[in-house]
Amino acid sequence: MTVEPSHPRVGIAAIVIRDGMVLLGQRCSALGNGTWALPGGHLEFGESIEDCARREVLEETGLTIGAITPGPCANNVFVAEGRHYVTLFVIAEAHAGEPEAREPDKCAGWSWWRWAEFPAPLFPSLETLRQSGFTPL
């Protein structure tokens, strides 16, 4: 699907928590290559935010998440790429299993990080969230 630059897309990003740590992956796709990001992706037509978060986390990491709590949102324009995203964050826990890089063309791997000790650089929507002062813990 081709997206015109004048039309924002909706992204869903899951803040997956386990034992006070947050799951991050290092992106290796065209948008945000080399940055650290949460699991997530595009909201599909007719899909609920919760279903999108569950689908994306499972597709990308192999993890099943529990109850989902709505979080804040971020608004980011990627000028060089001609893209505009509104990202809706959700918070969920993953109680079992180890994350796997199930989409190695998009993510080099997953690891757990403390919220105050995130690596750099962060994917723009996650950086926007951090700069807002929000903390999920």
Side-chain angles (χ1 to χ4, degrees):
M1 170 195 268
T2 303
V3 178
E4 296 179 33
S6 63
H7 294 90
R9 301 271 327 252
V10 177
I12 305 300
I15 302 169
V16 179
I17 299 171
R18 179 184 290 162
D19 300 325
M21 308 282 270
V22 176
L23 185 64
L24 295 180
Q26 191 167 32
R27 294 176 64 98
C28 53
S29 59
L31 188 63
N33 187 42
T35 62
W36 290 86
L38 301 164
H42 296 113
L43 182 66
E44 295 180 358
F45 182 81
E47 187 176 38
S48 74
I49 293 166
E50 293 81 6
D51 287 346
C52 178
R54 288 183 196 290
R55 175 182 55 78
E56 289 289 351
V57 170
L58 184 61
E59 286 176 0
E60 294 178 6
T61 72
L63 296 176
T64 301
I65 54 177
I68 294 174
T69 302
C73 64
N75 183 30
N76 294 90
V77 177
F78 298 81
V79 176
E81 295 84 359
R83 296 187 186 183
H84 179 182
Y85 283 93
V86 174
T87 303
L88 307 176
F89 294 92
V90 299
I91 305 157
E93 290 194 18
H95 297 288
E98 290 305 317
E100 303 170 9
R102 292 203 166 175
E103 296 178 328
D105 57 319
K106 297 178 184 176
C107 179
W110 298 98
S111 53
W112 299 97
W113 296 83
R114 296 200 182 287
W115 184 260
E117 300 170 358
F118 277 1
L122 294 177
F123 190 67
S125 59
L126 182 54
E127 181 63 36
T128 297
L129 181 66
R130 289 284 305 276
Q131 289 178 4
S132 77
F134 174 81
T135 180
L137 307 171

